[in-house]
């Protein structure tokens, strides 16, 4: 299969670890939109948000998606907000199979609460913010080709489910 395998979903849904696991099993390369944005700017995402704002970050993220969507045969780990730009979704769906890693707000909170590198969740009540953002983004995530529930599953199990789904 030459099509890319593209993982989308909310922060803390396990996209990064699952894409690495998938890439290893399938002998493919893995690319991350967040890593490419950070490399391009020479800064951490939290610093890009702080210095230049979210809109600037989204523009960089869009440019990275444009580049990635020209590649073939890679596993793509997308930042949680890529779905906010409808053009990103069109490009990603053209370049491969898009899989939504579905995760409950409580599980997202559990997985992200000890980390500080996600500027959108650095607020007084992160669970409330997670619920708000998830509600807004749900219709966009649901445009994926497939949905895989990740709650209470290990990365290895989620990767296996994706391979079964795609007959790989
Ligand atoms: C974001 C998710 C982050 C990162 C940035 C914004 C979002 O990526 O792109 O902090 O808007 O959901 P992860 O989903 O990999 O944490």
């Amino acid at each position: 299969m030459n099509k890319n395998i593209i993982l989308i979903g909310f922060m803390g849904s396990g996209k990064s670890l699952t894409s690495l696991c998938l890439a290893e099993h399938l002998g493919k390369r893995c690319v991350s939109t967040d890593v490419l944005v950070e490399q391009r700017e020479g800064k951490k995402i939290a610093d890009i948000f702080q210095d230049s704002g979210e809109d600037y970050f989204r523009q960089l993220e869009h440019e990275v998606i444009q580049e990635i969507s020209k590649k073939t045969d890679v596993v793509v780990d997308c930042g949680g907000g890529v779905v906010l730009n409808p053009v990103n979704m069109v490009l990603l769906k053209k370049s491969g199979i898009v899989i939504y890693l579905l995760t409950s707000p409580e599980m997202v909170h559990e997985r992200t609460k000890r980390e500080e590198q996600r500027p959108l969740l650095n607020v007084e009540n992160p669970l409330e913010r997670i619920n708000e953002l998830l509600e807004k983004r749900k219709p966009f995530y649901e445009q994926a080709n497939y949905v895989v529930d990740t709650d209470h599953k290990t990365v290895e199990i989620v990767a296996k489910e994706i391979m079964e789904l795609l007959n790989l």
Side-chain angles (χ1 to χ4, degrees):
M1 178 161 103
N2 291 324
K3 280 187 164 188
N4 296 330
I5 301 172
I6 298 145
L7 303 188
I8 62 167
F10 205 72
M11 294 170 263
S13 58
K15 295 169 302 233
S16 305
L17 290 176
T18 307
S19 58
L20 286 171
C21 183
L22 264 179
E24 193 175 316
H25 276 296
L26 299 171
K28 293 182 190 289
R29 253 174 10 93
C30 177
V31 289
S32 150
T33 61
D34 284 347
V35 169
L36 290 176
V37 165
E38 287 184 340
Q39 280 175 353
R40 184 175 277 220
E41 283 296 282
K43 272 186 198 176
K44 289 280 169 206
I45 288 181
D47 295 325
I48 303 175
F49 267 72
Q50 202 179 12
D51 297 347
S52 314
E54 180 171 350
D55 288 352
Y56 181 74
F57 169 78
R58 297 292 172 208
Q59 180 54 36
L60 292 172
E61 183 172 64
H62 175 61
E63 288 165 19
V64 160
I65 297 273
Q66 284 177 314
E67 281 162 29
I68 289 178
S69 59
K70 290 183 197 138
K71 296 183 190 289
T72 53
D73 219 20
V74 290
V75 180
V76 187
D77 162 25
C78 291
V82 298
V83 297
L84 296 171
N85 181 341
V87 181
N88 288 345
M89 274 307 261
V90 171
L91 290 171
L92 290 171
K93 286 182 89 172
K94 259 193 204 157
S95 85
I97 300 176
V98 179
I99 297 163
Y100 169 31
L101 299 191
L102 172 70
T103 309
S104 65
E106 293 72 26
M107 193 59 72
V108 168
H109 185 232
E110 197 49 43
R111 290 181 187 160
T112 57
K113 69 183 179 192
R114 273 172 290 274
E115 298 169 11
E116 280 167 10
Q117 79 270 29
R118 293 184 171 95
L120 294 177
L121 301 183
N122 278 342
V123 292
E124 207 166 306
N125 189 340
L127 184 56
E128 192 177 270
R129 168 64 70 85
I130 290 166
N131 272 302
E132 264 169 34
L133 288 175
L134 255 178
E135 197 53 41
K136 255 193 231 150
R137 292 179 181 184
K138 199 168 163 241
F140 303 118
Y141 289 137
E142 288 174 348
Q143 289 168 13
N145 301 105
Y146 295 99
V147 182
V148 174
D149 193 332
T150 76
D151 273 11
H152 308 291
K153 290 181 192 160
T154 62
V155 166
E156 187 69 34
I157 299 267
V158 174
K160 276 216 177 96
E161 283 186 20
I162 294 172
M163 290 190 286
E164 277 167 22
L165 210 52
L166 305 182
N167 289 318
L168 295 170

